[in-house]
Amino acid sequence: MATNVLMPALSPTMEQGKLAKWLKKEGDAVRSGDILAEIETDKATMEVEAIDEGTLAKILVPEGSDNVAVNTPIAVIAADGEDASRLNVASDATQAAKGKDAAQKGAPPPPAVATAASVPATVHAAPPPEAPEVPEGAVMETMTVREALRDAMAEEMRRDENVFVLGEEVAEYQGAYKVTQGLLQEFGAKRVVDTPITEHGFAGLGVGAAMAGLRPIVEFMTFNFAMQAMDQIINSAAKTHYMSGGQMSCPIVFRGPNGAAARVAAQHSQDYAAWFSHVPGLKVVAPYTAADAKGLLKSAIRDPNPVIFLENEILYGHTFEVPKLDDFLVPIGKARIARKGEHVTIVSFGIGMTYALQAAAELEKEGLDAEVVDLRTIRPMDSATIIESVKKTGRCVTVEEGWPQSGVGAEIVARLMEEAFDYLDAPVMRVAGRDAPMPYAANLEKLALPSVAEVVAAAKAVCYR
Amino acid sequence: MAAASSTARAKAAPRKSSASAPKIPAFTKDEELAAYREMLLIRRFEEKAGQMYGMGLIGGFCHLYIGQEAIAVGMRMAAKEGDQTISSYRDHGHMLACGMDPKAVMAELTGRRGGASKGKGGSMHMFSRAKGFFGGHGIVGAQVPLGTGLAFADRYLGNDNVSFTYFGDGAANQGQVYESFNMAELWKLPVIYVVENNLYAMGTSVARSSALTDFSKRGQSFNIPGEQVDGMDVRAVKAAGDRAAQWCRAGNGPIILEMQTYRYRGHSMSDPAKYRPKEEVQKMREEHDPIEQVRARLIAGKQASEEELKEIDAEIRKVVAEAADFASHDQEPDPAELWTDVLL
Ligand SMILES: Cc1ncc(C[n+]2csc(CCOP(=O)(O)OP(=O)(O)O)c2C)c(N)n1
Ligand SMILES: [Mg+2]
C-alpha cells in the first residue's frame, strides 16, 4: 500500500514551513531512516525522515515551496513490489486529506471538555477534636524538646526496622545538636548512618531508598544546608507520587533545625516554613512544645508522604510536659488552641509561639483576652481552627520569624479574606521578621527579629485600643 | 571501537581501539533474534513518536533514543528479576526494554488517561513499579543519587539485586554524581553506573565540557573500577553488563560502564543538531548501526532469512501502529485527576 509523507512540524506551534530541498528524487529506493527532504522555518531547519520502505513514487510539493501547511502530503512512497508509475496519486492525496480530518477528530477533545476546575474544593480539617490528644489522667514527665525528638525516633526505630537515620554527624558525633544522642549505640551503624558532606546526594539517596520502601529520616545539620538538596526535595520527593500516577510513594522525613539561631548571620538564619509550605506533595510540620515535637515526629515517620519537619535550635533546650505513654501520636494537619481567649486571635507556630504566648500574658494585664492558636502543621494548614477562633474574636494577628512577603502570615490573611471576611471586625495584621537578610551584629539581629512588644501593639491595633 | 576512525569522533573522545577491547562473546541465535526484535521495537517506536510529535500529538520535550538501542537492550539482557532501572528524560527506550507496555508509554507521550503515569508525567517522567523502572527524571544528574539509593535499599534489605543507573556524558559532570560515587564505594552498594556517552550534551560535545573524557575513569578517585564498551554492539554491551552485574552481586560495590554510543537525532525534537557534521551522523548510521549489525550477522550466519526478518519487522510495525492508534484516540485524563496523587 502506498503511504503519504506528510509535512512535519518542528514544534507544536508551527503551522507551516518551507520545503527547502528534496534529497531524494522520484523513483529512488527509500529505506526507513533515510532523509528525504529538508524543511525550514524562520527558527530552524529540520530533516524529513522516511519511516516506511519502498520507492519514492511521487513528489507532491516541489522544493522551494513556501508556506506548506503542516500535515500536507508532500510525497508518496510506494511499498516494495508496488508499481510506482501506476499509483493514482491524486486520489491518494485526497484520501490523505480525509485522513487528516480523521486524525484531527482523534486529537485531544476541546479544552472546554478537558479543562480542570481551576480551584480545588476547599478542604477544611474536621471541626474540634473528638477525643483529647492526651488521655485524661495520663502521667506527665518533664523533658526538653531535644529529648522528645530523640525518643520519637528511637520509639519508631524500635517499631519498624525500615526506619533509619541518615545525615552529617548523626552517628559517631551523636548529632551536631545532640538530637540523635544514643541512637548509634542502640541501633548500630546500619541504621544510624553518618554521611559525607553531600546534602544533594544523600537527600536524593534518601528519596531513592524511600521509593524502594525504606523509611528514611534525613537530618540536615540545619535547614540552611537543605538548600543544597532543594532540588531533590521538591522535584524528586514531592512530585514523584503525582508524576508516577500514584505508583511511587516517598515516605521520608527531612528534619533539622530551622530558622534563626543566634548570631550566625544571614546564611545560617533562615525560616523555610513558607518556602516548603508552597509545595504541593509535601507536608510541613513545625512544632513548638516537646509533646508536639514527639507526637508529630512519630506521625511524620509513619506518614506515607514526604514530611518536612522544622525544628528550632533555640527551642531544643526548652522543657515541657510530655505524656508518659507507650505510643503518643499527634495528628499532622491539626492546629492546637494553646490559650483560650475572647478578644483577639494570635496565630503562630514554632518559636513564634514564644512571642505569641508572652504577648498574650502582657495583653491580659491590659484587660485584653487573647486566644493563641499554635498551627503545628503549616501544610496542610488547619484553616478551620483559625476560622472558628476568628468567628469568636473577630480579630487576628499572625506571628512568625520568617520574612513577610508570601509568608505563612500572608497565607493566613488570604484565607481569612476568602473564607471569613464577614466575621472580621478589623484588618488582620502580620508580625514577621524584617524584610532583610539576618545581620550579624547583636543589636541589629535583635531589630531584625519580631518582638513581644510588636505583637502586643498589633493586637491592640486590631482591637482599636 | 572502530568508530575512532572518524576524525570528528576521535577529536571528541579518544576511543579504545577495538584490538585492546575484551573479546566479544558470540550470541546464540535466540539471543540475536531477541536483541533484534527489542532494538527494532525501540527504533520503530521512536520513529513513530517523532512523527506524532510532528503532527502535534506530542508536545513539550521529547528526547528520542534512536541510535542508542543496544545499550538499553544489552544491559537488560544482563539484568534479573528484581533489579532496578533508573534513567534520565531520554527514557522511552529503557521503558520498552524493561517491558513496559508500548501503548502506555505512547499514551503518556500524548498525555492521555491510559498513559503510564495517567498522562500526568509526560515523556520525561514515566515510572513502573511493576517493571522496576524508577523513572524518567528531568533534572540532569538527579537520578544518580536516586539510583544509588535504590542500591542502598538492596543492600539494606539483604537481597542480591542491582541498580542499573543510567546517565549521560553531560550529567557525568554534575556534583551529585560524585557524591553518589563516594557513598556507593564507601558502603559497597550494588549499583552499575552506566554512562551513555553519545558525545553530546545538547549542543556541547564531550571535548568542550569535560576535562577527563574517559568516563570509565571517573570513579578512580573513589576506587570504583570502570570499563569502556562499544555501546553500538549489543553483544559487547551484554557481556560488559554480565561482568558488572556479577561484580555487584558478589558484594564488591559499584562499577562504571562507559557506553560509547551516538544519538542519530537532535537532543530533543526541536534541535536541528547543527553542531555536528552530517557526515559524522551518516557514518555512524552506515557503519555502526546497532540493529543493522545484528541483522547482518543473522543473514550472514544463515540464522534467519530475509523473509523471517521481514515478518518480525511487520509484527513490530503492528505493535507500534496499535500503540500510536491507542495513544491518538484515548481520552485525556479526567479533570479531577489534577487533584489526585498529590499525597497518599
Ligand atoms: C540540572 C539541569 N540543568 C540543565 C538541564 C537542561 N538539560 C537537559 S538535558 C541536558 C544535556 C544532558 O546531556 P547528557 O547528560 O549528555 O545526556 P543526553 O541528553 O546526551 O542523553 C541539559 C543541559 C536540566 N534538565 N537539568
Ligand atoms: Mg550526551
Side-chain angles (χ1 to χ4, degrees):
Chain A
M1 201 201 73
T3 42
N4 287 299
V5 180
L6 304 180
M7 181 74 175
L10 285 175
S11 72
T13 49
M14 172 180 158
E15 285 170 3
Q16 55 183 31
K18 175 179 181 175
L19 206 163
K21 194 171 168 196
W22 279 104
L23 299 170
K24 296 268 179 193
K25 52 184 192 312
E26 288 182 1
D28 280 359
V30 171
R31 297 199 42 199
S32 106
D34 282 356
I35 297 157
L36 300 175
E38 278 180 7
I39 59 168
E40 273 174 23
T41 64
D42 48 346
K43 291 199 201 95
T45 308
M46 193 190 197
E47 291 161 346
V48 182
E49 277 190 20
I51 64 155
D52 291 290
E53 322 215 330
T55 309
L56 184 61
K58 183 81 188 160
I59 287 175
L60 302 172
V61 177
E63 70 179 30
S65 304
D66 280 314
N67 308 331
V68 181
V70 166
N71 281 340
T72 307
I74 55 174
V76 182
I77 293 184
D80 283 347
E82 220 170 0
D83 184 350
S85 63
R86 287 176 51 187
L87 281 174
N88 187 340
V89 167
S91 81
D92 240 68
T94 11
Q95 261 176 15
K98 279 193 206 129
K100 187 185 154 200
D101 278 0
Q104 277 169 353
K105 285 203 196 92
V113 183
T115 304
S118 56
V119 180
T122 309
V123 185
H124 283 173
E130 319 69 35
E133 274 164 20
V134 180
E136 290 286 336
V139 180
M140 304 300 272
E141 58 181 330
T142 305
M143 66 169 74
T144 62
V145 171
R146 174 183 286 114
E147 290 162 337
L149 291 166
R150 192 263 327 275
D151 287 358
M153 286 188 277
E155 286 178 19
E156 290 308 297
M157 289 174 82
R158 283 176 209 130
R159 195 180 153 269
D160 180 351
E161 293 194 344
N162 283 339
V163 176
F164 69 99
V165 181
L166 185 74
E168 293 164 26
E169 311 287 7
V170 295
E172 300 285 350
Y173 194 80
Q174 307 285 302
Y177 296 100
K178 301 283 180 278
V179 177
T180 53
Q181 189 138 38
L183 295 183
L184 174 68
Q185 283 67 23
E186 184 177 354
F187 300 102
K190 179 185 175 184
R191 302 181 67 192
V192 186
V193 184
D194 275 330
T195 62
I197 304 174
T198 56
E199 284 84 6
H200 203 189
F202 71 69
L205 181 149
V207 174
M211 285 163 76
L214 301 186
R215 300 232 159 211
I217 303 169
V218 173
E219 174 177 308
F220 291 115
M221 195 179 285
T222 81
F223 259 94
N224 302 287
F225 312 136
M227 296 281 275
Q228 292 286 322
M230 206 59 153
D231 179 67
Q232 291 290 5
I233 298 170
I234 311 297
N235 271 315
S236 298
K239 298 176 184 171
T240 301
H241 189 252
Y242 190 80
M243 294 192 306
S244 67
Q247 296 180 75
M248 297 288 161
S249 63
C250 186
I252 193 168
V253 177
F254 295 104
R255 52 153 289 273
N258 169 62
R263 306 293 312 282
V264 291
Q267 292 191 326
H268 285 72
S269 309
Q270 200 161 316
D271 178 2
Y272 289 93
W275 284 57
F276 289 110
S277 86
H278 191 59
V279 183
L282 293 179
K283 293 187 179 184
V284 183
V285 175
Y288 165 57
T289 68
D292 285 345
K294 183 173 183 190
L296 281 165
L297 184 53
K298 282 165 66 74
S299 293
I301 294 166
R302 290 185 203 181
D303 200 283
N305 300 289
V307 180
I308 306 292
F309 199 90
L310 302 171
E311 302 159 8
N312 185 284
E313 198 202 318
I314 293 164
L315 291 180
Y316 278 151
H318 286 212
T319 51
F320 294 87
E321 296 284 277
V322 177
K324 214 174 165 170
L325 294 169
D326 284 342
D327 203 10
F328 173 63
L329 292 165
V330 172
I332 292 174
K334 267 198 166 153
R336 174 180 70 99
I337 307 293
R339 182 189 194 280
K340 281 206 178 298
E342 294 294 327
H343 299 132
V344 56
T345 301
I346 304 176
V347 186
S348 191
F349 60 92
I351 196 165
M353 285 295 294
T354 58
Y355 307 99
L357 289 170
Q358 282 179 52
E362 298 276 324
L363 289 164
E364 193 178 25
K365 292 182 207 151
E366 304 190 32
L368 276 175
D369 185 15
E371 177 148 298
V372 180
V373 177
D374 180 0
L375 278 180
R376 303 194 293 189
T377 299
I378 315 298
R379 181 186 189 95
M381 191 181 280
D382 184 359
S383 307
T385 296
I386 304 170
I387 290 167
E388 281 310 308
S389 177
V390 167
K391 278 185 184 169
K392 183 168 60 177
T393 63
R395 300 150 202 282
C396 183
V397 170
T398 68
V399 183
E400 69 192 303
E401 281 196 346
W403 293 309
Q405 174 155 348
S406 309
V408 175
E411 177 65 21
I412 295 168
V413 171
R415 288 183 185 220
L416 289 174
M417 292 290 286
E418 288 167 346
E419 299 170 36
F421 186 72
D422 290 344
Y423 300 105
L424 286 171
D425 294 318
V428 181
M429 281 186 76
R430 290 177 291 169
V431 175
R434 294 299 163 277
D435 199 6
M438 183 64 74
Y440 173 69
N443 62 330
L444 297 182
E445 182 183 62
K446 202 154 178 255
L447 290 173
L449 290 165
S451 65
V452 173
E454 271 180 87
V455 180
V456 169
K460 284 164 116 177
V462 298
C463 293
Y464 300 114
R465 295 263 300 251
Chain B
M1 90 191 206
S5 55
S6 145
T7 46
R9 249 188 119 66
K11 247 185 251 150
R15 303 260 154 160
K16 214 178 218 172
S17 79
S18 44
S20 69
K23 208 171 132 24
I24 298 162
F27 265 11
T28 62
K29 178 186 166 186
D30 285 351
E31 285 173 328
E32 293 279 34
L33 281 171
Y36 182 72
R37 191 180 280 275
E38 285 297 310
M39 291 195 291
L40 201 61
L41 172 65
I42 297 172
R43 176 72 54 92
R44 295 285 176 259
F45 182 96
E46 293 290 64
E47 286 168 351
K48 182 57 90 178
Q51 192 193 32
M52 289 171 64
Y53 192 95
M55 290 162 65
L57 282 162
I58 299 171
F61 285 128
C62 181
H63 310 84
L64 302 182
Y65 199 62
I66 296 177
Q68 304 182 203
E69 296 93 342
I71 299 168
V73 170
M75 288 303 288
R76 189 65 194 170
M77 290 171 92
K80 72 166 198 175
E81 185 66 32
D83 287 349
Q84 301 109 327
T85 300
I86 190 163
S87 189
S88 70
Y89 44 82
R90 199 177 298 286
D91 53 358
H92 313 165
H94 288 290
M95 293 186 286
L96 296 174
C98 283
M100 285 172 70
D101 180 1
K103 281 187 184 158
V105 179
M106 197 67 97
E108 193 59 42
L109 294 181
T110 57
R112 306 304 170 93
R113 59 178 62 180
S117 294
K118 300 182 191 164
K120 302 202 289 193
S123 167
M124 302 194 292
H125 314 106
M126 278 187 246
F127 306 80
S128 171
R129 168 73 72 187
K131 301 291 180 188
F133 185 74
F134 286 79
H137 296 269
I139 302 296
V140 170
Q143 76 273 26
V144 179
L146 302 179
T148 308
L150 296 170
F152 184 91
D154 285 329
R155 219 203 58 162
Y156 189 97
L157 298 170
N159 61 42
D160 72 339
N161 281 120
V162 171
S163 160
F164 289 66
T165 299
Y166 297 87
F167 53 101
D169 46 279
N173 294 324
Q174 285 276 39
Q176 50 187 327
V177 171
Y178 299 92
E179 300 181 8
S180 300
F181 282 3
N182 187 43
M183 289 187 282
E185 179 62 25
L186 188 64
W187 299 327
K188 298 283 181 206
L189 304 183
V191 50
I192 306 176
Y193 293 111
V194 186
V195 185
E196 295 195 67
N197 179 8
N198 58 14
L199 296 179
Y200 295 90
M202 286 191 174
T204 307
S205 70
V206 162
R208 290 201 296 122
S209 65
S210 300
L212 175 66
T213 56
D214 182 342
F215 291 96
S216 71
K217 292 196 179 125
R218 285 292 184 95
Q220 274 186 351
S221 43
F222 308 96
N223 271 334
I224 304 178
E227 208 182 298
Q228 284 186 315
V229 182
D230 178 354
M232 304 301 276
D233 184 340
V234 69
R235 299 168 309 169
V237 173
K238 178 183 182 285
D242 283 337
R243 286 192 293 277
Q246 203 182 359
W247 171 267
C248 290
R249 292 195 217 285
N252 294 310
I255 186 165
I256 297 168
L257 298 180
E258 177 194 336
M259 295 291 173
Q260 301 182 322
T261 186
Y262 203 78
R263 65 167 154 74
Y264 296 178
R265 298 293 190 96
H267 168 75
S268 66
M269 289 306 296
S270 42
D271 169 25
K274 290 281 181 204
Y275 41 80
R276 57 188 192 184
K278 277 209 164 72
E279 297 70 44
E280 183 182 304
V281 186
Q282 213 41 43
K283 199 170 164 59
M284 286 306 292
R285 292 170 76 133
E286 275 162 21
E287 296 173 16
H288 301 282
D289 188 75
I291 301 173
E292 279 309 313
Q293 288 186 42
V294 181
R295 188 187 161 80
R297 283 198 303 270
L298 281 166
I299 298 290
K302 301 214 183 331
Q303 289 174 309
S305 67
E306 289 280 1
E307 284 314 305
E308 284 169 300
L309 295 183
K310 271 215 170 111
E311 245 166 61
I312 293 177
D313 207 27
E315 272 170 45
I316 286 186
R317 278 182 192 283
K318 190 160 166 270
V319 170
V320 171
E322 280 167 9
D325 187 60
F326 174 71
S328 314
H329 294 100
D330 189 27
Q331 285 186 65
E332 288 189 302
D334 190 282
E337 280 288 354
L338 181 57
W339 309 112
T340 66
D341 303 323
V342 176
L343 290 169
L344 269 185

